[in-house]
Amino acid sequence: MNNISSDHETRGISHSATSANDAHRGEIMSRVGRYGVTSGYVNTKGDWIKTPTETLDLVASRFDTSVPLDNENGPLVCSPGRYHPELYGTLILENGHHYRAEGLVDMPGYHILYNDAGVRRFVICTPEKIQTPQRSWGWQIQLYSARSRSSWGIGDFRDLALICRIAAMQGASCVQVSPVHAIGPTEHPQASPYSPASRIFLNVLHIAPGDVLGAEHVDLTDLAEAGCKLNKERMIDRAAVWKLKREALLRIWKAVRNDPNIERDAWFEQWGKKLSDFSTWSAIAEKYGTDWRKWPKEYQNISSDAVAEFVNENSDLIDFHSWMQWVAHVQYAAACREGVDVIADLAVGSDSASQDAWINQDILEFDFEIGAPPDSHNIEGQRWGLPPFNPQKLAEVDFKPFIDMVRATLRDAGAMRIDHVMQLWRLYWVPVSGSAADGVYIHYPVDAMLAIIRLECYRQNSWVVGEDMGTVAGGVRETMEEIGMLGNRSAMRTPVREFPTLGVGTSSTHDQVTVAGLATGFDVSELKRIGKSADWAQVESTRQVLCEMAHVDPTKPLNQITRDDIQSMIIERYRMLRDAPSRVVLLNLDDAASVKERPNMPGTIDQYPNWRIALPRPVDDIMTSSLADELVSVIEQGRKLDK
């Protein structure tokens, strides 16, 4: 039973009790409302939903109301060469130089201002707009599922390079890839790319061992054969993949660790403490498991003497993990140079047991997890097991963790997709002890966070798409358009004609049904099998419309839907998508393979094989198949038009 009660449970209480409750809520909001806490929200139906009082009590205890919070001591956002009335005082530039500021700063960057009143201000000087892509198209892939014949049971960075090369030859401008964030080095690796151990470093499961510098000096034949055998199964066995790849990488590491390598050493120096901290966590995790909260108490604090002693005693293992990160970086960076913009996906949070949480535990709220309120697409709401940053504490450290992860996401990629972009404006905090309906929206310092994104994009010459589906607060999409951030729509949720011009259009997302899954009724069967609710009439209506567009009899029994029927419906879906007003449209690799299974079923753990289903054929075969050729031809016809 939930410890947090919902407002509807209070029906029948006396008028005096109601008045007392309202007074209590008012008192809470008077204290913490200015820190971003909200008393309720408007849902997708336009109804006002009150935040449960018990949730307000809990969240109020997480903010220090003795610390003043106003525009006079918060972050200051300005543009190069443009006058700002608050920019007076001693300005310490990012490069260490300082001078007397008189309303202007010319250099983009992160600076510190001590104003004439002696107040310290964090200054973000950035261009006002992000560059945007031309009208074009690309591919949308789940990297783990996109295997080639040489893969070791999971899609890897060599496969990503292959995908990008094929995409470039087909005329695509971009490839959107599922998150490649780091996961923990455990016997049973995390499957979800959206529950990472670190949003700064990379997932070493995606390393292609045979392409590692030094692999030619060791014999990997036995491991490569075992790895390729894993491709025979559609269900990805990450435990087997990690066992084989770790052994392969360890063999290579032992052969090359003492070899001079200027590039590797320079990379180690560049990443410095961030890399050593991650590698230290990885080494401890190999011994005690990935959940730092269950480690011996002396290791739970990164600054402890015990951790320092562990580093001294396990330097070789720590160096091995650092080297694996360098190898992953080299391969990922190479894939990103294959002629298209790789759109790197930035997850909304990191797992509570993660390395990110270990190093940022003072500014995260572990009694809450990020989620989404109930709506017509997810009636129970969603909870994602990811602890949110406390916005007050994040500002106190000059947004350093946020800057680090945005910079890391863009370090090699040509663009960035921000999962659940509303996180920049507000996040839905769900009490760990409650249900998704018991959550509260917390607002974040959006002006500063958007400025950070603009600055990092300026420095990397990159563009950004924000996933803005679901419950979206007023003004969010208008601000996105104003700064040049593309929105994101899927045809499974929004009519194509309503897609924004400055946006990325897709048929579906990783959380939604594929065309084949809709056409055959497979997805409905899966939803019912695991007890998920949906608007069944709406689902069937969508299927029938797609049937009619493809000249498939909508009354045809589902078990008689043919392969040709499915492919006709897929082609018609993308014929419709190609004419979307969106600046960019994406071909889903799952649709090109006529896959029936969606990658992820929101709100499930073991009931559905989330993030574990590989494509049924080698990725290069799929991308060069007759269906893919026709889809590319269809998309190209609409994307080349000057609209």
Side-chain angles (χ1 to χ4, degrees):
M1 181 176 293
N2 297 331
N3 295 329
I4 304 294
S5 62
S6 300
D7 283 333
H8 65 76
E9 295 173 342
T10 65
R11 293 174 185 169
I13 62 177
S14 67
H15 176 72
S16 60
T18 301
S19 298
N21 184 58
D22 289 345
H24 179 57
R25 292 173 63 88
E27 187 275 329
I28 294 173
M29 292 306 300
S30 69
R31 287 188 289 112
V32 298
R34 65 183 184 276
Y35 294 91
V37 179
T38 64
S39 61
Y41 66 95
V42 177
N43 68 9
T44 54
K45 296 180 180 179
D47 300 325
W48 175 255
I49 307 298
K50 290 174 64 177
T51 301
T53 302
E54 293 86 346
T55 301
L56 289 178
D57 278 326
L58 181 61
V59 78
S61 66
R62 299 302 185 264
F63 291 86
D64 183 357
T65 56
S66 68
V67 177
L69 184 67
D70 53 50
N71 292 333
E72 294 182 0
N73 63 7
L76 191 157
V77 176
C78 62
S79 299
R82 187 165 181 174
Y83 176 76
H84 195 294
E86 298 174 33
L87 200 57
Y88 283 85
T90 300
L91 186 69
I92 303 175
L93 298 177
E94 192 172 20
N95 61 13
H97 295 162
H98 60 87
Y99 65 92
R100 166 73 188 181
E102 298 285 349
L104 293 173
V105 59
D106 294 324
M107 181 182 293
Y110 304 108
H111 315 308
I112 301 298
L113 174 73
Y114 288 92
N115 66 19
D116 291 339
V119 176
R120 180 188 183 278
R121 303 284 299 276
F122 179 57
V123 177
I124 309 166
C125 183
T126 177
E128 296 179 352
K129 285 185 175 291
I130 303 168
Q131 69 168 4
T132 57
Q134 296 181 338
R135 184 175 172 84
S136 57
W137 69 276
W139 284 94
Q140 172 188 10
I141 70 165
Q142 303 295 318
L143 181 57
Y144 62 86
S145 73
R147 306 183 298 198
S148 63
R149 288 175 177 80
S150 61
S151 302
W152 291 22
I154 194 170
D156 57 38
F157 292 134
R158 175 168 52 191
D159 298 325
L160 178 59
L162 173 64
I163 290 166
C164 291
R165 284 196 298 273
I166 295 174
M169 289 188 292
Q170 292 171 329
S173 68
C174 56
V175 171
Q176 179 177 295
V177 62
S178 53
V180 292
H181 303 314
I183 59 174
T186 174
E187 291 181 358
H188 299 284
Q190 168 66 261
S192 172
Y194 291 94
S195 296
S198 169
R199 288 183 285 176
I200 295 176
F201 294 100
L202 296 171
N203 186 344
V204 296
L205 284 185
H206 293 311
I207 292 175
D211 288 357
V212 177
L213 181 65
E216 67 275 13
H217 300 312
V218 297
D219 184 5
L220 301 179
T221 304
D222 57 328
L223 300 176
E225 289 178 353
C228 289
K229 285 181 180 178
L230 295 175
N231 296 336
K232 296 179 180 179
E233 301 295 331
R234 281 205 63 197
M235 289 298 160
I236 295 171
D237 185 348
R238 284 177 172 81
V241 171
W242 172 237
K243 183 177 180 180
L244 292 172
K245 289 197 175 185
R246 189 189 188 285
E247 174 59 26
L249 293 167
L250 186 59
R251 290 182 190 179
I252 301 170
W253 161 246
K254 289 179 178 179
V256 304
R257 61 183 171 184
N258 294 321
D259 293 350
N261 189 312
I262 296 175
E263 181 184 354
R264 177 195 63 201
D265 294 344
W267 192 83
F268 283 2
E269 184 175 353
Q270 175 190 354
W271 285 94
K273 189 175 186 303
K274 294 185 187 72
L275 178 62
S276 62
D277 285 350
F278 177 77
S279 299
T280 298
W281 175 85
S282 298
I284 299 176
E286 283 215 54
K287 291 179 177 290
Y288 296 107
T290 57
D291 191 344
W292 59 272
R293 298 167 300 180
K294 297 179 181 178
W295 292 351
K297 193 169 184 62
E298 61 268 24
Y299 293 141
Q300 293 181 13
N301 186 331
I302 189 174
S303 301
S304 70
D305 292 339
V307 170
E309 184 177 348
F310 180 93
V311 170
N312 290 331
E313 294 175 353
N314 295 273
S315 59
D316 193 61
L317 179 59
I318 292 170
D319 288 346
F320 173 54
H321 281 283
S322 294
W323 173 80
M324 283 194 289
Q325 280 301 316
W326 174 70
V327 168
H329 159 73
V330 169
Q331 293 192 358
Y332 178 59
C336 290
R337 295 192 296 267
E338 289 290 351
V340 294
D341 283 342
V342 169
I343 307 174
D345 202 341
L346 176 62
V348 69
S350 297
D351 190 271
S352 296
S354 67
Q355 190 262 349
D356 277 353
W358 184 53
I359 63 173
N360 293 311
Q361 54 189 283
D362 291 340
I363 59 176
L364 290 167
E365 296 298 341
F366 294 99
D367 287 336
F368 294 88
E369 58 184 285
I370 301 168
D375 63 22
S376 58
H377 295 276
N378 290 284
I379 295 174
E380 299 90 356
Q382 299 181 57
R383 50 193 314 159
W384 303 327
L386 312 172
F389 279 117
N390 181 306
Q392 182 184 36
K393 296 175 182 177
L394 187 62
E396 288 173 355
V397 296
D398 294 339
F399 302 91
K400 190 176 185 302
F402 183 73
I403 293 170
D404 287 345
M405 69 184 185
V406 171
R407 182 175 295 166
T409 304
L410 289 170
R411 63 186 165 192
D412 298 306
M416 173 174 66
R417 175 188 180 271
I418 303 176
D419 189 47
H420 194 69
V421 74
M422 289 77 75
Q423 64 175 287
L424 305 175
W425 281 262
R426 65 180 189 178
L427 275 176
Y428 191 68
W429 291 18
V430 179
V432 171
S433 58
S435 71
D438 299 320
V440 55
Y441 272 111
I442 305 295
H443 287 279
Y444 282 72
V446 61
D447 290 344
M449 297 174 82
L450 289 176
I452 289 166
I453 290 170
R454 296 200 304 275
L455 178 56
E456 294 301 325
C457 285
Y458 164 76
R459 287 176 161 176
Q460 296 296 327
N461 195 31
S462 302
W463 52 279
V464 177
V465 53
E467 184 272 294
D468 58 340
M469 291 176 269
T471 304
V472 181
V476 169
R477 288 169 174 156
E478 292 79 3
T479 301
M480 289 171 61
E481 183 174 3
E482 181 180 323
I483 66 172
M485 181 185 292
L486 279 69
N488 193 191
R489 298 291 186 280
S490 79
M492 287 297 178
R493 192 162 190 160
T494 305
V496 169
R497 64 181 178 276
E498 297 179 12
F499 284 14
T501 300
L502 192 64
V504 172
T506 65
S507 174
S508 61
T509 71
H510 53 259
D511 289 336
Q512 296 170 349
V513 59
T514 64
V515 176
L518 177 67
T520 60
F522 175 85
D523 192 70
V524 167
S525 297
E526 286 294 279
L527 287 168
K528 291 180 177 179
R529 177 184 65 80
I530 61 181
K532 294 284 287 182
S533 300
D535 187 338
W536 307 117
Q538 179 60 44
V539 172
E540 178 57 21
S541 174
T542 301
R543 191 191 74 83
Q544 290 189 13
V545 169
L546 200 53
C547 283
E548 291 168 356
M549 290 176 58
H551 304 291
V552 175
D553 182 0
T555 65
K556 192 175 187 178
L558 294 176
N559 61 4
Q560 294 181 20
I561 296 292
T562 66
R563 179 173 176 269
D564 287 343
D565 291 337
I566 294 170
Q567 293 196 358
S568 294
M569 294 169 75
I570 292 171
I571 291 167
E572 286 307 312
R573 164 52 61 86
Y574 284 94
R575 199 183 307 279
M576 177 175 61
L577 194 62
R578 76 168 181 202
D579 296 324
S582 302
R583 188 71 59 86
V584 179
V585 297
L586 300 178
L587 277 173
N588 192 329
L589 193 56
D590 288 347
D591 287 334
S594 300
V595 168
K596 298 177 183 178
E597 305 92 347
R598 62 169 81 187
N600 178 56
M601 188 74 74
T604 64
I605 300 177
D606 298 323
Q607 307 97 310
Y608 187 85
N610 297 320
W611 315 114
R612 297 197 294 273
I613 306 173
L615 293 171
R617 304 189 304 282
V619 64
D620 45 334
D621 287 358
I622 294 169
M623 292 185 71
T624 57
S625 66
S626 58
L627 175 58
D629 286 345
E630 186 157 2
L631 290 172
V632 168
S633 177
V634 165
I635 288 289
E636 280 272 280
Q637 291 173 22
R639 294 287 102 187
K640 287 183 177 179
L641 297 177
D642 184 15
K643 295 188 176 180

